Amino acid sequence: MSFITANWNPLGEAFYRKTELYEMSWSLRDGLRDSLVAAAPYGGPIALLREPQRRSPSSRPQLEIYSASGVSIASFPWKSGPVVQVGWTVSDELLLVQEDGSVLIYDVFGTFKRHFSMGQEVVQSQVLEAQVFHSPYGTGVAIVTGSSRFTLATNIDDLKLRRLPEVPGLQGKPVCWLVLTQDRQTKVLLSTGPDLYILDNTSCTAVSPPGLGPQSGSIVHMSVSFSYKYLALFTETGHLWTGPSHLQDKLNEVDTKNTNPPQQMVWCRRPKSQQPSVVLLWDKLLMVIGVRQDNIQFPMEEPCVLVGELDGVRILSSSQQELLQEVPLVCQEIFKIASMAPGALLLEAHREYQKSSQKADEYLREIKEQSMLGEAVRQCVEAAGHEYDSITQKDLLRAASFGKCFLTDFAPDPFVLTCRELRVLNSVRESSVGLPLTHTQFKQMTLQVLIDRLVYRQFYPLAIEICRYLKIPDYQGVSRVLKHWASCKVQQKDLTDEAIARAVCVKVGDSPGVSYSHIAAKAYECGRTELAIKLLDFEARSGEQVPLLLKMKRSQLALSKAVESGDTDLVYTVVTYLKNEMNRGDFFMTLRNQPVALSLYRQFCKLQEQETLKDLYNQDDDHQELANYQVTASYREKRLDSRLSLLQSAVDEYNKAKNEFSAKATEDEMRLLRFQRKLDDEKGAGLLGLSLQATMEALLALGLHKQAEQLYRDFRVPDKRYWWLKLKSLAEKEEWEELEKFSKSKKSPIGYLAFVDVCMKSNNRFEAKKYVSKVMPEQRVRAHLAVSDLEGAADAAIERKNESEMALVLSRSSTSDRLLIDRLNRAATVAKK
Amino acid sequence: MAHSARRDCPELPDFSLLKTLARDHLIYLLEQLPGKKDLFIEPDLMSPLDRIANVSILKQHEVDKLYKVEYKPVISTSDQLCFLIRPRIQTVKWICDVANADKAAGKCRRYKIIFTPKKFYSCDAVLEEQGIIGDVTTDEWSFYLLPLDDDIISLELPEFFRDNFLAGDQRWVKTAGSALHLIHSLYGPFSKIYGIGRCSKMAYESWREQVAEGEQRAQKAEIGKVFLIDRDVDFVTPLCSQVVYEGLVDDIFRIKCGCVEFGPEVTSSDKSMKVMLNSQDKVFNEIRNEHFSNVFGFLSQKARNLQTAYDKRRGMDIKQMKTFVSEEFKGLKQEHRLLSLHIGASESIMKQKTKQDFQELLKTEHSLLEGFEIRESISFIEEHINRRVSMLESLRLLCLLSITENGLLPKDFRSLKTQFLQSYGVDHLLTFANLRQLGLLVEQQPGEMLTVMESKVGKLVNDKTAGKLTDAFSSLARKSHFRALSRKLNLVPRSDEEYDLRVPRDMAYIFSGAYVPLSCKLVEQVLDRDGWTGLEEVTKLLNGHEFAVTGNNGADSKAKGNAQRIVLVMFLGGCTFSEISALRFLGREKGFRFIVVTTAITNSSRILESLLDNHV
C-alpha cells in the first residue's frame, strides 16, 4: 500500500500520476507508425487506418476498429477514396473525411451507415486538412480546402454547412489551426505563421495573445482544452504560451528548450482543479508543463498517441495504455506521506483494526476528538471513486464502512451509491469490454449514455445487468436495451424469420416501452417484410401497426388493424391512402369487407362526394340505399319534371330491392305531385309538396270538395281518415248544415263522439246536442258530459250500471245537485251488489 | 314531501374543477394568437361556452367581436379570425370558403381553427382539398365535460347518438374514452367498471389504452364505481312520456344546457325569461324529481309557508323589521320569484297535459308497456295519425308499439306506415328506413314466431341449445325483447295494486308506477350483484357486450371508503331527466350517490328528430 505514491510526480502544488489502464490485446505489426489513429474520448473505441495516403489499387489500406483495450471489433480494407481525417461522433460512429470532401459514417462494427458531402466546390479544391470536434451541439467536422477556405458543419446529424470568410494572405493550408466553441459560436483559430486569426461566421479577425512577444516567433502548434476554456500555443522558438481561450489573459509562458514542434499537445486538467497543465509529446519524450516553470518529463520508448479526456490524458502505444492525470486532492490528502488528514487516519485505523491492534482505537479517538469522523468517511468514499485499482478501492471503502459504524447520523446514500457505481465501472473497465472510464467521466457522461454505449457495442447482457443492478426504471433501462437488441436481432441474416420472431418475443415479452412496430420497421428496412409482419402481430396497440403496414403495401391488413384499433382517424388515414392507391372497384370491394370503414367513408361522402356515394351503393347492388339516395336527391331538385324522374328511378330501385311498400308510396307521391301541380296551375292552390292529408285539408278549406273526394278515392284514403278530415274542416268553417248532412250520409266510421267534440270546440252546444243520441252507448256518458248535460250523463251511466262512469259523473257534479248525487250513489250501491 | 335521504350519503366530488381546467386551456389557446381577433363560435357551442368562459373573460384575452357561425360570408374587419368549432366537415368547408374568398379579394388575414374536443383527420383532409391547410393554424381545445349540475356532467355532443348508432360512425367513441380518462385522472382511480353495449365496450377499451399510456398519480379515489351503458340497450325509457317535473319541463320547454327559457305564458309578463335549472334553485331542487301530480300540492304548501314568513313582519317593531328586511327579506323575495315561476310553469304544463288527449295517450303508453289491449292501442295510434295531432308523437307511439311488441304484424306495419305517410308526407320514407335500421320500427318476421316458441321451449330444454337457437335467429334482424326483459326484470309492476305516487316504492314512480326504466334497473341489478352473474339471460336478450372489470388497484377496491358508494353512470347516446330522477331515487334507497355523465341530455323528441331525414 505504501507504494501508492510511487508513481506520483510533483508539479507545482499538485502531483501527477500515470496509471496503466491496459496491456493492449492487439498485436500491431507496424505499431502506430504511419497510421491515422482516432480514439473516442470517454474511453471510446479506437480506429486505425494504415497508410491512408497509399493510393495504388492493388494494396488498399486496412481500416481497423478496436475497443479501448485493443480488442478487435472490425477490420476491413478501405475501398473508398483517400482519407484525410478519422474521428468519432458522440454516439460512437466513425467518421472518415475523404479528400474529395465527402464524409462517410460507419458504425462501431464497420457497417456503412450513410455519407454526406462538405460541399461541391471541395471536390475540385480537395480537403487539405480536417478536424472532427465535439461541442454542446453534437459532433462537428471542419475542413480547410486547397483554396484555403474553411468549411464547418457544427452538427453532422443536422447538417448545415458554413463556409467561413477568406483569410487574408493565406496560401495553401495554415501552419496550424483548431476549432473553438465560444459564446455559443463555433470559430476557427488559425496561425498563418506570423499572424494569428480568429475566423467566425462573418469575419476574420487578427488577434495576438497577451504577453506573447514577437521575439517568440510564429506559432507552430496549438491546443485547446477539453472544455474549450484554455488555449496552449507553441512557437517556433520552443516557447509554450498558455491562457484562457478568449485570449484576454495569460496564464504562463515557458521555454521548453525544444524548438521542434511537438507531435501532439494536449491539455491535462480535471474539473475544479486549480492547476491546468499541458502535455507535449515529442518522438521520445513526454513533457507535462504546469503553470510555473517546472515540468515533468517522461522518456517514451515507442510511438504513442495522446487522447485528451475530461480529467486527464490517455497515452496509447502499441503495447499499453496509460492514464496520466493530476492526483485528485482527496487522494493526495489520504495517501500523501505522513498525511494527518482525517481520511488518512481512518484508513490507518482500519488497517490497525484488521491487524487486531489497539492502535485502531487511538487513531479513531484522534479523529473523533477533532470531530472529523464524518469528514474522514466522506474522504475515503470519495477517494475510492477516484482510484482505478480495485484493491485500493476496497481498502478505502472498508475503511469508510468501518468509520461510519461510529457515527450515529450518517447518511448512507453516498457510500451505497459509490459502491454500486464502482462495481459498474469495474465491470465495464474489464479488458473484454474495454471502457476505461474514470468516475469523474462517468458522472459527466451519465449512466444513460453509458448504457447507450454498451448497447452500441452490443454488450446487451451486461447493459441489462447494469440496468437491473442500479434499479433503473424499465422504461429508461431494460426496455431500451431490449429495443436495441431486437432491432439488431432482426438483422441477423442467418436465422429464419420464425426463429427471430420467436426469440424476440421471448426476450421482449411485454416490457413497457418496447414497441414491436418499431422493431418491425427495422426488419422491414432490412428487407424482411415477412418477419416484419410476424413481429407486428405482437404489437398490442393495433394503431401502431398501421403506418408500417401501409408502408409495406399490406393495405388490407392495415385497414383491418386500423378498424381494430377503434381509432377512426386512423381508419380514415388508411381509407384515404387506399383511395389513392387502388382502382375504384378494388377500393370499394375492400371497403365492403370492412363495415366500420365503409360507414365512415359514407359519412364523408354524404358531405363531400355525393356522386361517390351513389357509386358505392351501385357497387354493392344496394338498391334500397340507392332508392333512398334518389329520394333525397329529389328534394334538392326544384323543377318538377326532374324531381319526378328522380322519383321514378327511386321506384325502379325500390322494386329491385323488392320493397313494394316504398315503391308504392313513391309512386303515390309522384301521382300526388302531378295532381298538385295540375291544381296549382288551374286554381293557384299552392299545394305542391304538401302531404296527402294536408292537400285534402287545403282542398276542403278552399271548398274544392270534388277534388278532395277524388283524392279520397284515388289514393284509397281510409274512411276514418276522410271522416276526421271532413269533420274538422266543416266544423272549422262552421258549416253546420253540411255537417249534419254529412253525418247522415252513412254510418260514421269514427263514431259520433267526435262530432260532439268538434262542435263543442267551436262552442256550439246546440249543434253538439244533435249528435249525443247517436253516440255509442259506451261513450255516451262522455258525450253527455261534453255538452255539460249532467242529468243525461247520469242516466246513461245508471243505465249501463257502470261504476267508474258513475264516479266520473259524480266528480263533475257540484254539491248543489243533491238529487242527482243521491241518485247516483244509490245506483252505485245497487251496481256494487 | 322531500324524500328522506339516508343520512350516510357520501358527498359528491367537486366538478367545478372541470370548468376551471377547460377555461384555462381555452385562455391559453386564445393567447397563442396574440393581438385583437374576432371569434366565430359554432351555434351549439354558445351555451356550453357561456358556462365556461363568459364574454368578459373572452374580451380580456383580446377577443374583439363575437360571431355565430352561420355559413354566411363574414363581414369582420379584423385581420385575425379565430374559429371555435366542432370537428364537422360542413363547418370546416365554410371556413375554407371564407379563406378562399379573402384570397380572391386579396385580403390577408390570419386564421386559427380551434376544434373541440379534438380534430378529426377528415377535417385536415378537407382543409387540404380546399388548398388552405397552409393558411390556417389549428388547435384542439380539450373541452370534454361540462358539469350541468352537482351530479350531471354532459359531453354536449347530441350528434353522438345519430353518428354512432345510426351511421355506424365510431369517431366519437374515443372522445367518450378521453372524457372518462379525464374523470379518472382527476377523481379516480376507479375500483370497478361495469358496462353493457358495444359502444360502451369500445369506449372502455379506449379509456384503458389511454390509462396505459399515461401515468396515473396516486391519489385518493373520489369515485368508486363506473357503469357504462349504450342508449340502444334501452330505447323504451326515453320514448315514454315524461311525468316527473324536470322531465316534463324538458319535454315542453326544452332545457338547453341546464337553462330553460320560459315564455310569457309562464312568466305572466310580456317578456320571456331565461332560468337556470339546477340544485342552486331551492324550489326547483325540491320538485325536480317529483311526479307531476305532487308538484302542485307542494308548491301551494310552499306558497303558504312563504306567506307565513311574510306575515311575520306584522307586529314587528322597527328594529325587528330592520333585521327582517336585511336578513330574510332578500331570501324570501328570491324564493317568491322562483316559486311564482314554477307555479306558472306548472300551470302551463297542466293546461297542455291534463287534457283528455294526454290522459289517453298515457293510458295507451301504459297498455303498450303492459302488453294489454294492443288492438285498442293500435286504433288510438291510427286515430292520432289520422288527426295529425303531432308528427313526433305519432312516430314515438309507433316506435314504442314496435319495440314493446317486438315488431309490428305485417298488416299493421303497412297500414300504419301508409297512413303516416299520407298524414305527414312521403318524405318520411327515409325516416322509416332509419328507424328500421335502428330496430325502432320493424316488421315482425315470420321467424319471430319460432323465437317465441323457442323461448318457451328453451325453459324446458337445457339453456345451451336454446342459446344456439337464439344465436341463429338473432342474426335475422335487430330485435327488441322487451316483453321477455320486462318479465325477467319485473319492469312492469302489477297493475291491480294501488300505487301511491307520494310515497314512491320503486323507480317506477317516474312513470306513474307503470314501468321501471330498464336502464336504471340494470344499474341497480349490477350494483346489487357486483357484476353480471345471474343476469345471463338478460344480457343475452340485450345482445351481450356486457363486462365487469376490477380496477388495477385491486387492494383498494376492498376498502370500504365513501368513494365506493359514489357511482358514475355514463350514458353513451344520451339520457333523460326521468332516468336521472330514477337514479337519484335509487341512490337514496341504497345509500349510493350517482353521478350521471351523458353525451347529451335527451328525450323522445330529440331522439326522433335526430333520426328524421325528411329534408324539409
Side-chain angles (χ1 to χ4, degrees), chain A residues 18-38:
Chain A
K18 217 162 64 160
T19 328
E20 184 178 314
L21 297 177
Y22 298 114
E23 287 280 351
M24 297 305 278
S25 0
W26 62 25
S27 53
L28 300 176
R29 227 174 335 122
D30 309 311
L32 294 168
R33 228 180 290 277
D34 298 328
S35 303
L36 262 182
V37 181

Side-chain angles (χ1 to χ4, degrees), chain A residues 517 539-550 555-578 591 596-597 600-601, chain B residues 118-122 169-171 174 209 213:
Chain A
S517 53
E539 176 67 59
R541 291 161 301 168
S542 30
E544 295 286 307
Q545 310 172 346
V546 174
L548 184 61
L549 284 172
L550 277 185
S555 36
Q556 308 264 1
L557 197 56
L559 187 58
S560 51
K561 292 287 183 194
V563 169
E564 227 171 81
S565 78
D567 181 345
T568 45
D569 272 3
L570 203 59
V571 178
Y572 201 80
T573 320
V574 182
V575 169
T576 322
Y577 179 86
L578 295 181
L591 285 185
V596 174
L600 201 67
Y601 187 59
Chain B
K118 67 190 291 264
K119 181 172 73 174
F120 288 133
Y121 179 80
S122 49
D169 177 348
Q170 300 167 343
R171 63 183 152 161
K174 202 173 169 196
E209 225 164 76
E213 274 163 28

